[in-house]
Amino acid sequence: MTTGYKWRKSSRSSQSTACVEVAGDIPGGTAVRDSKDPNGPELVLTPAVFTAFVRAVKSGRLDLS
């Protein structure tokens, strides 16, 4: 687990229980974690992978409901 990142939640996070937080102040990447488990695992993604992740989320491809 990392420390010192500036985590932020989406402005839409109050509308859902399935939220992630991101930290973009990481050299060469963006970190993602579950907002309900701030001490849990963190994924650090390269810019290209983060862009693909955001596109997949927006398109609904990762919707498990």
Side-chain angles (χ1 to χ4, degrees), residues 4-57:
Y5 293 164
K6 295 178 185 173
W7 294 98
R8 61 184 172 85
K9 280 197 253 186
S10 166
S11 59
R12 297 181 184 205
S13 66
S14 63
Q15 301 171 8
S16 173
T17 58
C19 300
V20 296
E21 292 178 315
V22 296
D25 59 336
I26 302 165
T30 300
V32 180
R33 70 179 181 186
D34 183 343
S35 64
K36 295 181 302 304
D37 187 10
N39 294 314
E42 302 165 356
L43 299 174
V44 178
L45 309 173
T46 65
V49 172
F50 182 72
T51 298
F53 172 72
V54 170
R55 285 185 183 146
V57 169

